[in-house]
Amino acid sequence: MPKTIAQLAIMNWIENHFGICNLDIKFTDSREAFVTDSNGDTLILKYDSDTRNVYAI
């Protein structure tokens, strides 16, 4: 469950690009998430509050 607007934006980004199934999502801070899929591949997502966009880094 997202606790901040940034986390909600990240969750929406994930759902729009991948869907939520079979993903492990761990928020490393209020604006960053570490995502792991069922293959073990990972992705770091960061919310930029200035642009209000989510970026893969």
Side-chain angles (χ1 to χ4, degrees):
M1 179 65 118
K3 296 181 182 178
T4 66
I5 290 173
Q7 290 177 349
L8 180 62
I10 289 171
M11 293 297 291
N12 287 337
W13 189 95
I14 292 169
E15 188 166 351
N16 288 335
H17 288 85
F18 300 112
I20 298 293
C21 61
N22 296 326
L23 295 176
D24 180 43
I25 304 164
K26 294 183 181 165
F27 288 100
T28 55
D29 66 29
S30 63
R31 294 186 176 138
E32 188 174 285
F34 189 78
V35 182
T36 306
D37 69 8
S38 59
N39 292 329
D41 297 323
T42 61
L43 174 70
I44 297 173
L45 296 173
K46 185 125 182 143
Y47 177 76
D48 183 333
S49 58
D50 294 331
T51 63
R52 296 182 181 169
N53 286 312
V54 175
Y55 299 98
I57 56 173

Short mmCIF file of all heavy atoms in Angstrom, two decimals:
data_model
loop_
_atom_site.label_atom_id
_atom_site.label_comp_id
_atom_site.label_asym_id
_atom_site.label_seq_id
_atom_site.Cartn_x
_atom_site.Cartn_y
_atom_site.Cartn_z
N MET A 1 0.84 -1.18 0.00
CA MET A 1 0.00 0.00 0.00
C MET A 1 0.88 1.24 0.00
O MET A 1 1.72 1.40 0.88
CB MET A 1 -0.90 -0.04 1.24
CG MET A 1 -1.80 1.13 1.37
SD MET A 1 -2.95 1.18 0.10
CE MET A 1 -4.50 1.07 0.52
N PRO A 2 0.73 2.11 -0.98
CA PRO A 2 1.55 3.33 -1.02
C PRO A 2 1.24 4.26 0.14
O PRO A 2 0.10 4.39 0.56
CB PRO A 2 1.16 3.97 -2.35
CG PRO A 2 0.12 3.15 -2.96
CD PRO A 2 -0.16 2.00 -2.10
N LYS A 3 2.29 4.90 0.65
CA LYS A 3 2.14 5.83 1.77
C LYS A 3 2.29 7.28 1.36
O LYS A 3 1.98 8.17 2.13
CB LYS A 3 3.17 5.50 2.85
CG LYS A 3 2.97 4.14 3.47
CD LYS A 3 3.99 3.86 4.53
CE LYS A 3 3.80 2.47 5.10
NZ LYS A 3 4.80 2.15 6.11
N THR A 4 2.79 7.52 0.16
CA THR A 4 3.00 8.89 -0.32
C THR A 4 2.48 9.03 -1.74
O THR A 4 2.23 8.02 -2.43
CB THR A 4 4.50 9.26 -0.31
OG1 THR A 4 5.17 8.46 -1.29
CG2 THR A 4 5.14 9.06 1.05
N ILE A 5 2.33 10.26 -2.19
CA ILE A 5 1.91 10.50 -3.58
C ILE A 5 2.96 9.95 -4.54
O ILE A 5 2.62 9.38 -5.57
CB ILE A 5 1.68 12.00 -3.80
CG1 ILE A 5 0.42 12.43 -3.03
CG2 ILE A 5 1.56 12.34 -5.29
CD1 ILE A 5 0.17 13.92 -3.02
N ALA A 6 4.22 10.08 -4.19
CA ALA A 6 5.29 9.54 -5.04
C ALA A 6 5.16 8.02 -5.17
O ALA A 6 5.31 7.48 -6.27
CB ALA A 6 6.65 9.92 -4.46
N GLN A 7 4.89 7.34 -4.08
CA GLN A 7 4.74 5.89 -4.12
C GLN A 7 3.51 5.50 -4.93
O GLN A 7 3.55 4.52 -5.68
CB GLN A 7 4.68 5.32 -2.71
CG GLN A 7 6.00 5.39 -1.99
CD GLN A 7 5.93 4.89 -0.57
OE1 GLN A 7 4.87 4.64 -0.01
NE2 GLN A 7 7.10 4.74 0.05
N LEU A 8 2.45 6.27 -4.82
CA LEU A 8 1.26 6.01 -5.62
C LEU A 8 1.57 6.19 -7.11
O LEU A 8 1.15 5.38 -7.94
CB LEU A 8 0.11 6.94 -5.21
CG LEU A 8 -1.19 6.77 -5.98
CD1 LEU A 8 -1.75 5.38 -5.79
CD2 LEU A 8 -2.19 7.81 -5.52
N ALA A 9 2.32 7.22 -7.45
CA ALA A 9 2.71 7.44 -8.84
C ALA A 9 3.56 6.28 -9.36
O ALA A 9 3.38 5.84 -10.51
CB ALA A 9 3.47 8.76 -8.97
N ILE A 10 4.45 5.77 -8.55
CA ILE A 10 5.28 4.63 -8.94
C ILE A 10 4.41 3.39 -9.16
O ILE A 10 4.57 2.68 -10.15
CB ILE A 10 6.39 4.36 -7.89
CG1 ILE A 10 7.43 5.48 -7.96
CG2 ILE A 10 7.03 3.00 -8.12
CD1 ILE A 10 8.45 5.45 -6.83
N MET A 11 3.47 3.14 -8.26
CA MET A 11 2.58 1.99 -8.41
C MET A 11 1.75 2.11 -9.69
O MET A 11 1.57 1.13 -10.42
CB MET A 11 1.67 1.85 -7.19
CG MET A 11 2.40 1.49 -5.92
SD MET A 11 3.21 -0.12 -5.98
CE MET A 11 1.78 -1.20 -6.01
N ASN A 12 1.25 3.30 -9.98
CA ASN A 12 0.49 3.52 -11.21
C ASN A 12 1.36 3.29 -12.44
O ASN A 12 0.91 2.71 -13.43
CB ASN A 12 -0.11 4.92 -11.24
CG ASN A 12 -1.27 5.07 -10.29
OD1 ASN A 12 -1.91 4.10 -9.91
ND2 ASN A 12 -1.54 6.30 -9.88
N TRP A 13 2.61 3.74 -12.40
CA TRP A 13 3.54 3.54 -13.51
C TRP A 13 3.75 2.05 -13.76
O TRP A 13 3.70 1.59 -14.90
CB TRP A 13 4.86 4.23 -13.21
CG TRP A 13 5.81 4.27 -14.38
CD1 TRP A 13 5.96 5.29 -15.27
CD2 TRP A 13 6.73 3.25 -14.78
NE1 TRP A 13 6.92 4.97 -16.20
CE2 TRP A 13 7.41 3.72 -15.92
CE3 TRP A 13 7.05 1.99 -14.28
CZ2 TRP A 13 8.39 2.97 -16.57
CZ3 TRP A 13 8.02 1.24 -14.94
CH2 TRP A 13 8.68 1.73 -16.06
N ILE A 14 3.97 1.30 -12.69
CA ILE A 14 4.18 -0.15 -12.81
C ILE A 14 2.95 -0.81 -13.41
O ILE A 14 3.06 -1.63 -14.33
CB ILE A 14 4.53 -0.77 -11.44
CG1 ILE A 14 5.91 -0.30 -10.98
CG2 ILE A 14 4.47 -2.30 -11.50
CD1 ILE A 14 6.23 -0.63 -9.54
N GLU A 15 1.78 -0.46 -12.90
CA GLU A 15 0.56 -1.08 -13.41
C GLU A 15 0.34 -0.75 -14.88
O GLU A 15 -0.06 -1.61 -15.66
CB GLU A 15 -0.65 -0.63 -12.59
CG GLU A 15 -1.90 -1.39 -12.95
CD GLU A 15 -3.01 -1.22 -11.95
OE1 GLU A 15 -2.79 -0.65 -10.88
OE2 GLU A 15 -4.12 -1.67 -12.27
N ASN A 16 0.62 0.48 -15.29
CA ASN A 16 0.44 0.87 -16.69
C ASN A 16 1.43 0.21 -17.64
O ASN A 16 1.12 -0.01 -18.80
CB ASN A 16 0.53 2.39 -16.84
CG ASN A 16 -0.67 3.09 -16.26
OD1 ASN A 16 -1.74 2.54 -16.15
ND2 ASN A 16 -0.47 4.33 -15.85
N HIS A 17 2.64 -0.10 -17.15
CA HIS A 17 3.67 -0.66 -18.02
C HIS A 17 3.79 -2.17 -17.94
O HIS A 17 4.20 -2.82 -18.90
CB HIS A 17 5.02 -0.01 -17.71
CG HIS A 17 5.10 1.40 -18.18
ND1 HIS A 17 4.64 2.46 -17.43
CD2 HIS A 17 5.57 1.93 -19.32
CE1 HIS A 17 4.83 3.58 -18.09
NE2 HIS A 17 5.39 3.29 -19.26
N PHE A 18 3.52 -2.76 -16.78
CA PHE A 18 3.74 -4.19 -16.59
C PHE A 18 2.54 -4.95 -16.03
O PHE A 18 2.46 -6.15 -16.18
CB PHE A 18 4.90 -4.44 -15.61
CG PHE A 18 6.20 -3.86 -16.05
CD1 PHE A 18 6.77 -2.81 -15.37
CD2 PHE A 18 6.87 -4.36 -17.15
CE1 PHE A 18 7.98 -2.27 -15.76
CE2 PHE A 18 8.08 -3.82 -17.56
CZ PHE A 18 8.63 -2.77 -16.86
N GLY A 19 1.68 -4.30 -15.31
CA GLY A 19 0.70 -5.00 -14.50
C GLY A 19 1.38 -5.34 -13.17
O GLY A 19 2.60 -5.27 -13.06
N ILE A 20 0.62 -5.68 -12.18
CA ILE A 20 1.18 -5.89 -10.85
C ILE A 20 1.56 -7.35 -10.60
O ILE A 20 2.36 -7.66 -9.76
CB ILE A 20 0.17 -5.42 -9.76
CG1 ILE A 20 -0.07 -3.92 -9.90
CG2 ILE A 20 0.64 -5.74 -8.36
CD1 ILE A 20 1.12 -3.04 -9.59
N CYS A 21 1.02 -8.29 -11.35
CA CYS A 21 1.22 -9.71 -11.06
C CYS A 21 2.69 -10.12 -11.15
O CYS A 21 3.44 -9.63 -11.99
CB CYS A 21 0.38 -10.55 -11.98
SG CYS A 21 0.74 -10.36 -13.71
N ASN A 22 3.08 -11.01 -10.25
CA ASN A 22 4.42 -11.61 -10.22
C ASN A 22 5.56 -10.61 -10.09
O ASN A 22 6.66 -10.85 -10.58
CB ASN A 22 4.65 -12.48 -11.45
CG ASN A 22 3.71 -13.66 -11.50
OD1 ASN A 22 3.35 -14.22 -10.46
ND2 ASN A 22 3.30 -14.04 -12.68
N LEU A 23 5.32 -9.47 -9.45
CA LEU A 23 6.38 -8.51 -9.21
C LEU A 23 6.54 -8.30 -7.71
O LEU A 23 5.55 -8.21 -6.98
CB LEU A 23 6.05 -7.15 -9.85
CG LEU A 23 5.98 -7.11 -11.36
CD1 LEU A 23 5.55 -5.72 -11.82
CD2 LEU A 23 7.29 -7.48 -11.99
N ASP A 24 7.78 -8.22 -7.27
CA ASP A 24 8.08 -7.88 -5.89
C ASP A 24 8.50 -6.41 -5.89
O ASP A 24 9.46 -6.05 -6.55
CB ASP A 24 9.21 -8.77 -5.35
CG ASP A 24 9.56 -8.44 -3.92
OD1 ASP A 24 8.64 -8.23 -3.11
OD2 ASP A 24 10.76 -8.40 -3.61
N ILE A 25 7.74 -5.59 -5.17
CA ILE A 25 7.99 -4.15 -5.15
C ILE A 25 8.36 -3.74 -3.73
O ILE A 25 7.60 -3.95 -2.80
CB ILE A 25 6.74 -3.37 -5.61
CG1 ILE A 25 6.32 -3.85 -6.99
CG2 ILE A 25 7.00 -1.88 -5.58
CD1 ILE A 25 4.92 -3.46 -7.39
N LYS A 26 9.57 -3.18 -3.60
CA LYS A 26 10.03 -2.71 -2.29
C LYS A 26 10.40 -1.24 -2.41
O LYS A 26 11.22 -0.87 -3.25
CB LYS A 26 11.24 -3.51 -1.82
CG LYS A 26 10.92 -4.94 -1.53
CD LYS A 26 12.11 -5.69 -1.00
CE LYS A 26 11.68 -7.12 -0.76
NZ LYS A 26 12.77 -8.02 -0.59
N PHE A 27 9.76 -0.42 -1.59
CA PHE A 27 10.09 1.00 -1.58
C PHE A 27 11.34 1.20 -0.73
O PHE A 27 11.35 0.86 0.45
CB PHE A 27 8.92 1.82 -1.06
CG PHE A 27 7.78 1.89 -2.04
CD1 PHE A 27 6.67 1.08 -1.90
CD2 PHE A 27 7.85 2.74 -3.14
CE1 PHE A 27 5.63 1.13 -2.82
CE2 PHE A 27 6.83 2.80 -4.06
CZ PHE A 27 5.71 1.98 -3.90
N THR A 28 12.39 1.74 -1.35
CA THR A 28 13.65 1.96 -0.64
C THR A 28 13.64 3.29 0.09
O THR A 28 14.41 3.49 1.02
CB THR A 28 14.84 1.89 -1.61
OG1 THR A 28 14.62 2.82 -2.67
CG2 THR A 28 14.98 0.49 -2.19
N ASP A 29 12.81 4.22 -0.36
CA ASP A 29 12.52 5.46 0.36
C ASP A 29 11.19 5.99 -0.16
O ASP A 29 10.50 5.30 -0.91
CB ASP A 29 13.66 6.49 0.26
CG ASP A 29 13.89 7.04 -1.13
OD1 ASP A 29 12.94 7.10 -1.94
OD2 ASP A 29 15.02 7.44 -1.41
N SER A 30 10.83 7.20 0.19
CA SER A 30 9.51 7.70 -0.18
C SER A 30 9.34 7.97 -1.66
O SER A 30 8.22 8.08 -2.16
CB SER A 30 9.20 8.98 0.60
OG SER A 30 10.12 10.00 0.27
N ARG A 31 10.46 8.04 -2.42
CA ARG A 31 10.38 8.34 -3.86
C ARG A 31 11.08 7.33 -4.75
O ARG A 31 11.32 7.59 -5.92
CB ARG A 31 10.97 9.72 -4.13
CG ARG A 31 10.17 10.82 -3.52
CD ARG A 31 10.70 12.16 -3.94
NE ARG A 31 9.84 13.20 -3.41
CZ ARG A 31 10.27 14.32 -2.89
NH1 ARG A 31 11.56 14.57 -2.86
NH2 ARG A 31 9.42 15.20 -2.43
N GLU A 32 11.43 6.16 -4.22
CA GLU A 32 12.17 5.19 -5.00
C GLU A 32 11.70 3.77 -4.68
O GLU A 32 11.43 3.46 -3.53
CB GLU A 32 13.66 5.32 -4.70
CG GLU A 32 14.55 4.49 -5.59
CD GLU A 32 16.01 4.78 -5.34
OE1 GLU A 32 16.50 5.83 -5.78
OE2 GLU A 32 16.65 3.95 -4.68
N ALA A 33 11.63 2.94 -5.74
CA ALA A 33 11.21 1.55 -5.56
C ALA A 33 12.17 0.62 -6.29
O ALA A 33 12.69 0.95 -7.36
CB ALA A 33 9.80 1.34 -6.09
N PHE A 34 12.38 -0.54 -5.69
CA PHE A 34 13.19 -1.61 -6.27
C PHE A 34 12.22 -2.70 -6.67
O PHE A 34 11.51 -3.26 -5.83
CB PHE A 34 14.20 -2.11 -5.23
CG PHE A 34 15.22 -3.05 -5.77
CD1 PHE A 34 16.29 -2.57 -6.50
CD2 PHE A 34 15.12 -4.41 -5.55
CE1 PHE A 34 17.25 -3.44 -7.00
CE2 PHE A 34 16.06 -5.28 -6.05
CZ PHE A 34 17.13 -4.80 -6.77
N VAL A 35 12.16 -3.02 -7.97
CA VAL A 35 11.18 -3.96 -8.50
C VAL A 35 11.91 -5.20 -9.02
O VAL A 35 12.89 -5.09 -9.75
CB VAL A 35 10.37 -3.31 -9.64
CG1 VAL A 35 9.31 -4.27 -10.17
CG2 VAL A 35 9.75 -2.00 -9.19
N THR A 36 11.41 -6.38 -8.65
CA THR A 36 11.98 -7.65 -9.11
C THR A 36 10.86 -8.47 -9.74
O THR A 36 9.79 -8.62 -9.15
CB THR A 36 12.59 -8.44 -7.94
OG1 THR A 36 13.54 -7.60 -7.25
CG2 THR A 36 13.30 -9.68 -8.42
N ASP A 37 11.13 -9.02 -10.93
CA ASP A 37 10.12 -9.86 -11.58
C ASP A 37 10.36 -11.33 -11.27
O ASP A 37 11.28 -11.68 -10.54
CB ASP A 37 10.06 -9.59 -13.08
CG ASP A 37 11.27 -10.07 -13.86
OD1 ASP A 37 12.15 -10.76 -13.28
OD2 ASP A 37 11.36 -9.75 -15.06
N SER A 38 9.52 -12.20 -11.82
CA SER A 38 9.60 -13.63 -11.53
C SER A 38 10.88 -14.28 -12.07
O SER A 38 11.26 -15.36 -11.62
CB SER A 38 8.38 -14.35 -12.08
OG SER A 38 8.28 -14.16 -13.48
N ASN A 39 11.56 -13.63 -13.01
CA ASN A 39 12.84 -14.14 -13.53
C ASN A 39 14.03 -13.69 -12.71
O ASN A 39 15.15 -14.09 -12.98
CB ASN A 39 13.05 -13.66 -14.97
CG ASN A 39 12.07 -14.28 -15.93
OD1 ASN A 39 11.64 -15.40 -15.74
ND2 ASN A 39 11.71 -13.53 -16.95
N GLY A 40 13.79 -12.79 -11.75
CA GLY A 40 14.88 -12.25 -10.95
C GLY A 40 15.47 -10.98 -11.52
O GLY A 40 16.43 -10.45 -10.98
N ASP A 41 14.93 -10.51 -12.63
CA ASP A 41 15.39 -9.25 -13.22
C ASP A 41 14.90 -8.09 -12.36
O ASP A 41 13.80 -8.14 -11.80
CB ASP A 41 14.89 -9.09 -14.65
CG ASP A 41 15.42 -10.17 -15.57
OD1 ASP A 41 16.59 -10.56 -15.39
OD2 ASP A 41 14.68 -10.61 -16.45
N THR A 42 15.71 -7.03 -12.27
CA THR A 42 15.37 -5.92 -11.39
C THR A 42 15.33 -4.59 -12.13
O THR A 42 15.91 -4.43 -13.20
CB THR A 42 16.39 -5.80 -10.23
OG1 THR A 42 17.68 -5.57 -10.76
CG2 THR A 42 16.39 -7.06 -9.37
N LEU A 43 14.64 -3.65 -11.50
CA LEU A 43 14.48 -2.31 -12.05
C LEU A 43 14.33 -1.36 -10.87
O LEU A 43 13.67 -1.68 -9.88
CB LEU A 43 13.21 -2.27 -12.91
CG LEU A 43 12.74 -0.96 -13.49
CD1 LEU A 43 13.72 -0.50 -14.57
CD2 LEU A 43 11.36 -1.13 -14.09
N ILE A 44 14.97 -0.21 -10.95
CA ILE A 44 14.81 0.82 -9.93
C ILE A 44 14.00 1.95 -10.55
O ILE A 44 14.32 2.43 -11.63
CB ILE A 44 16.16 1.34 -9.43
CG1 ILE A 44 16.95 0.22 -8.76
CG2 ILE A 44 15.95 2.51 -8.46
CD1 ILE A 44 18.36 0.59 -8.38
N LEU A 45 12.94 2.33 -9.86
CA LEU A 45 12.08 3.42 -10.32
C LEU A 45 12.17 4.58 -9.35
O LEU A 45 12.20 4.37 -8.13
CB LEU A 45 10.63 2.96 -10.42
CG LEU A 45 10.35 1.87 -11.43
CD1 LEU A 45 8.91 1.39 -11.31
CD2 LEU A 45 10.62 2.37 -12.84
N LYS A 46 12.23 5.78 -9.88
CA LYS A 46 12.35 6.97 -9.05
C LYS A 46 11.31 7.99 -9.50
O LYS A 46 11.12 8.20 -10.70
CB LYS A 46 13.74 7.56 -9.19
CG LYS A 46 14.01 8.73 -8.30
CD LYS A 46 15.22 8.45 -7.48
CE LYS A 46 15.49 9.60 -6.54
NZ LYS A 46 15.96 9.21 -5.30
N TYR A 47 10.66 8.62 -8.53
CA TYR A 47 9.68 9.68 -8.80
C TYR A 47 10.37 11.02 -8.68
O TYR A 47 11.03 11.30 -7.69
CB TYR A 47 8.52 9.59 -7.80
CG TYR A 47 7.50 10.69 -7.95
CD1 TYR A 47 6.58 10.65 -8.99
CD2 TYR A 47 7.46 11.75 -7.07
CE1 TYR A 47 5.63 11.66 -9.14
CE2 TYR A 47 6.52 12.76 -7.21
CZ TYR A 47 5.61 12.71 -8.25
OH TYR A 47 4.68 13.71 -8.38
N ASP A 48 10.21 11.86 -9.71
CA ASP A 48 10.77 13.21 -9.71
C ASP A 48 9.63 14.18 -9.39
O ASP A 48 8.72 14.36 -10.20
CB ASP A 48 11.39 13.52 -11.07
CG ASP A 48 12.06 14.87 -11.13
OD1 ASP A 48 11.67 15.79 -10.38
OD2 ASP A 48 12.98 15.03 -11.94
N SER A 49 9.67 14.80 -8.23
CA SER A 49 8.58 15.68 -7.81
C SER A 49 8.55 16.98 -8.61
O SER A 49 7.50 17.62 -8.69
CB SER A 49 8.68 15.97 -6.31
OG SER A 49 9.90 16.56 -5.99
N ASP A 50 9.66 17.36 -9.22
CA ASP A 50 9.67 18.58 -10.05
C ASP A 50 8.89 18.39 -11.35
O ASP A 50 8.13 19.25 -11.75
CB ASP A 50 11.10 19.02 -10.35
CG ASP A 50 11.85 19.47 -9.12
OD1 ASP A 50 11.21 19.97 -8.17
OD2 ASP A 50 13.08 19.31 -9.10
N THR A 51 9.10 17.25 -12.00
CA THR A 51 8.43 16.98 -13.26
C THR A 51 7.16 16.15 -13.08
O THR A 51 6.39 15.99 -14.02
CB THR A 51 9.36 16.22 -14.22
OG1 THR A 51 9.69 14.95 -13.65
CG2 THR A 51 10.60 17.02 -14.52
N ARG A 52 7.00 15.55 -11.90
CA ARG A 52 5.87 14.68 -11.58
C ARG A 52 5.83 13.45 -12.49
O ARG A 52 4.78 12.99 -12.89
CB ARG A 52 4.55 15.43 -11.64
CG ARG A 52 4.46 16.51 -10.61
CD ARG A 52 3.13 17.18 -10.67
NE ARG A 52 3.10 18.25 -9.65
CZ ARG A 52 2.16 19.16 -9.59
NH1 ARG A 52 1.17 19.15 -10.45
NH2 ARG A 52 2.20 20.08 -8.65
N ASN A 53 7.02 12.93 -12.79
CA ASN A 53 7.14 11.74 -13.63
C ASN A 53 7.94 10.66 -12.90
O ASN A 53 8.73 10.95 -12.02
CB ASN A 53 7.86 12.06 -14.95
CG ASN A 53 6.97 12.84 -15.88
OD1 ASN A 53 5.82 12.48 -16.11
ND2 ASN A 53 7.50 13.91 -16.44
N VAL A 54 7.72 9.43 -13.33
CA VAL A 54 8.46 8.28 -12.80
C VAL A 54 9.48 7.88 -13.86
O VAL A 54 9.15 7.78 -15.05
CB VAL A 54 7.51 7.10 -12.49
CG1 VAL A 54 8.29 5.89 -12.06
CG2 VAL A 54 6.50 7.52 -11.43
N TYR A 55 10.71 7.64 -13.43
CA TYR A 55 11.80 7.28 -14.32
C TYR A 55 12.46 5.99 -13.88
O TYR A 55 12.64 5.76 -12.68
CB TYR A 55 12.88 8.38 -14.34
CG TYR A 55 12.37 9.70 -14.84
CD1 TYR A 55 11.99 10.69 -13.95
CD2 TYR A 55 12.27 9.95 -16.20
CE1 TYR A 55 11.51 11.92 -14.39
CE2 TYR A 55 11.79 11.16 -16.67
CZ TYR A 55 11.42 12.14 -15.76
OH TYR A 55 10.95 13.35 -16.22
N ALA A 56 12.83 5.16 -14.84
CA ALA A 56 13.64 3.98 -14.56
C ALA A 56 15.10 4.42 -14.54
O ALA A 56 15.55 5.10 -15.46
CB ALA A 56 13.41 2.91 -15.63
N ILE A 57 15.80 4.05 -13.48
CA ILE A 57 17.22 4.42 -13.41
C ILE A 57 18.08 3.18 -13.24
O ILE A 57 17.62 2.13 -12.95
CB ILE A 57 17.52 5.41 -12.25
CG1 ILE A 57 17.05 4.86 -10.91
CG2 ILE A 57 16.82 6.71 -12.53
CD1 ILE A 57 17.46 5.70 -9.74
#
